[in-house]
Amino acid sequence: MQLTKKEQDMLDGTMGAGTQLAMKILVAVGEAFDAPYMVPVTRTHVALSNQEADLWFAEKLVNLGAKCAVPPTVNPSFHLEQFKEITTIAPMDEEIVKRTHAAYKRLGAIMTYNCTPYLEHNVPRFGEILSFSESSATPFVNSVYGARSNREAAQSALCSAITGVTPYYGYLLDENRKGEVLVRVEADLKSDFDYQMLGYVTPKFTGFKIPVFTGIKNPSKEALMNLGAQLNTGGNVAIYHIVGFTPEAPTVEAAFHGEVPKEEVVITNKDLEQMRADLTDAGGKIDFALFGCPHLTIHQITKIAGIVEGNKLAVPLFIMCSASTRNLATQMGLRETIEQAGGHLMADTCMDQPSWHFLYGKKGVTDSPKCAYYTKRRDMQFVITSLEDSVEAALKGEI
């Protein structure tokens, strides 16, 4: 790779051992993908996992004196104080949470603990070069904003945060952002939940190729968030285009960079219904409801509060969101409404955390296939349905 003098100084250790290690890793990534050189990044996001390997790497960089040149926002851990109100936390888990927070704080990260930074605190402009990890974040910034990020690992994104650069390859190049499969959506997309199903089923037809959707009209930001999260969970798809809506697809021709689509698929209501049937457990009695993968927005929380207001939940209901959204919900009286019904609004956490040990072996309801995917290894079963139907199920204790 061709390095600037500053980048070579980083690699040679002139700017410290921590920066040297980060640059060594980025150079290795660049060489693996035949990147010709590095490019500056203006924003970073690290999918902090609050797990041992992530902590080992972060502490290693801290001990080598690393500091972030482009401070990253970070993914959720779990909020110790809030969880201690509803369950016990193992001493080992509490220690790892505290050490992870201390490590990233010393590196200079922005401690958002939020998996949707693209909606608040870290919103890019069209064409910005980023280094984002997190499976819902990369599709959103690439597709909806037209910013540019590869599907980074937590470690590579952190290395870019420290050095301020990333290898020039992949989705940073124009030619790698063009559509590969034309997807004609004939299904009725009546709700944000339908976009969950569309995102999860599309890779069944297209594989890891970049889809170009037609037949989608004015989706909400929650719908776009759901679509990208499920595309990247179900198929490692970190960019998509919607003709007439996303910035790089004003027309079909523009989305395919002037080329004629070589592949075309049609997705119908039957395909969405089959995908839902394949994903979900059978109905019946449930033990809990769990939402927020990705983190819920204030609009989604408002919807939940409206359904449970004046009622009592038959099973515990948990909502995960950012701390700023939780504060806003508190100010709006939504948190009080949800808590009076027996629900919980949990900030700074993800369902892929050991904090949910008290739900292991139980059956829940959620609106997110991504949630069900991550929690399989934690022995949690889910019925997957719309947000509204999930909340109604929590009021009844069955679905």
Side-chain angles (χ1 to χ4, degrees):
M1 295 183 69
Q2 296 179 2
L3 301 180
T4 65
K5 183 180 184 306
K6 181 179 179 181
E7 291 161 359
Q8 189 64 53
D9 286 345
M10 292 186 203
L11 187 60
D12 292 341
T14 304
M15 302 177 72
T19 301
Q20 181 183 33
L21 175 59
M23 183 56 80
K24 280 183 178 179
I25 291 169
L26 292 179
V27 168
V29 171
E31 290 177 345
F33 286 98
D34 294 324
Y37 47 80
M38 300 285 181
V39 288
V41 295
T42 51
R43 297 176 187 275
T44 59
H45 176 77
V46 175
L48 169 154
S49 69
N50 191 46
Q51 295 177 27
E52 289 180 8
D54 172 60
L55 176 58
W56 174 86
F57 186 67
E59 288 186 333
K60 183 176 183 68
L61 288 167
V62 167
N63 293 334
L64 291 173
K67 290 286 185 181
C68 291
V70 182
T73 47
V74 297
N75 250 34
S77 168
F78 64 89
H79 197 294
L80 285 171
E81 288 71 24
Q82 289 175 26
F83 272 94
K84 284 181 177 179
E85 293 176 2
I86 58 176
T87 189
T88 56
I89 300 295
M92 180 181 69
D93 292 332
E94 180 167 355
E95 179 191 10
I96 204 169
V97 167
K98 290 178 177 178
R99 284 172 56 194
T100 298
H101 180 85
Y104 277 90
K105 183 178 177 182
R106 287 182 65 185
L107 287 169
I110 303 169
M111 308 306 290
T112 50
Y113 288 127
N114 177 16
C115 60
T116 58
Y118 46 85
L119 299 181
E120 54 186 24
H121 306 306
N122 205 354
V123 180
R125 300 182 303 276
F126 180 83
E128 272 192 86
I129 303 287
L130 323 173
S131 185
F132 269 41
S133 50
E134 160 52 36
S135 56
S136 85
T138 46
F140 203 100
V141 298
N142 275 320
S143 312
V144 180
Y145 294 133
R148 301 193 172 200
S149 176
N150 283 313
R151 192 175 185 268
E152 300 289 353
Q155 291 74 28
S156 61
L158 182 54
C159 289
S160 287
I162 290 167
T163 61
V165 297
T166 191
Y168 187 60
Y169 75 98
Y171 295 130
L172 307 188
L173 282 66
D174 288 343
E175 59 266 30
N176 293 333
R177 298 174 66 84
K178 68 180 178 181
E180 296 175 287
V181 184
L182 183 63
V183 181
R184 298 191 184 278
V185 181
E186 295 182 359
D188 300 315
L189 301 178
K190 297 178 180 178
S191 69
D192 294 339
F193 176 71
D194 292 329
Y195 286 85
Q196 304 262 27
M197 294 298 103
L198 177 62
Y200 216 89
V201 77
T202 296
K204 304 294 182 184
F205 296 98
T206 63
F208 294 175
K209 296 176 182 177
I210 298 173
V212 177
F213 295 101
T214 63
I216 295 178
K217 306 295 183 183
N218 198 32
S220 68
K221 67 176 180 292
E222 289 81 9
L224 295 167
M225 180 174 71
N226 292 344
L227 176 62
Q230 306 312 332
L231 279 169
N232 213 9
T233 302
N236 297 337
V237 177
I239 182 172
Y240 62 87
H241 302 292
I242 300 174
V243 174
F245 187 84
T246 53
E248 295 176 70
T251 64
V252 171
E253 184 180 31
F256 285 92
H257 292 195
E259 298 178 5
V260 176
K262 295 178 181 178
E263 295 183 50
E264 183 176 330
V265 300
V266 176
I267 294 180
T268 65
N269 288 329
K270 184 179 179 180
D271 295 319
L272 300 192
E273 291 164 4
Q274 185 61 53
M275 186 74 263
R276 180 178 174 185
D278 291 345
L279 282 171
T280 190
D281 272 25
K285 295 288 185 180
I286 57 170
D287 301 304
F288 64 95
L290 183 56
F291 309 108
C293 188
H295 276 175
L296 293 197
T297 67
I298 194 66
H299 302 293
Q300 292 168 306
I301 293 171
T302 299
K303 189 177 293 184
I304 293 172
I307 296 172
V308 303
E309 186 172 11
N311 297 306
K312 286 293 181 182
L313 291 155
V315 297
L317 180 150
F318 304 95
I319 300 167
M320 293 175 294
C321 62
S322 69
S324 57
T325 298
R326 187 176 190 265
N327 290 339
L328 182 57
T330 300
Q331 293 182 30
M332 294 172 67
L334 303 174
R335 178 183 159 200
E336 182 180 10
T337 297
I338 291 167
E339 289 180 348
Q340 285 179 346
H344 305 270
L345 206 57
M346 314 298 290
D348 300 345
T349 194
C350 170
M351 53 235 339
D352 194 23
Q353 293 286 332
S355 51
W356 299 106
H357 63 90
F358 61 97
L359 299 180
Y360 293 179
K362 297 183 179 180
K363 183 174 183 176
V365 64
T366 186
D367 67 326
S368 171
K370 181 180 176 183
C371 165
Y373 173 82
Y374 282 152
T375 49
K376 280 182 180 179
R377 69 189 183 94
R378 298 192 184 278
D379 191 25
M380 298 159 71
Q381 294 77 46
F382 281 97
V383 177
I384 302 171
T385 188
S386 68
L387 183 64
E388 295 85 351
D389 288 347
S390 294
V391 178
E392 292 289 352
L395 288 169
K396 298 173 184 176
E398 62 181 354
I399 186 169

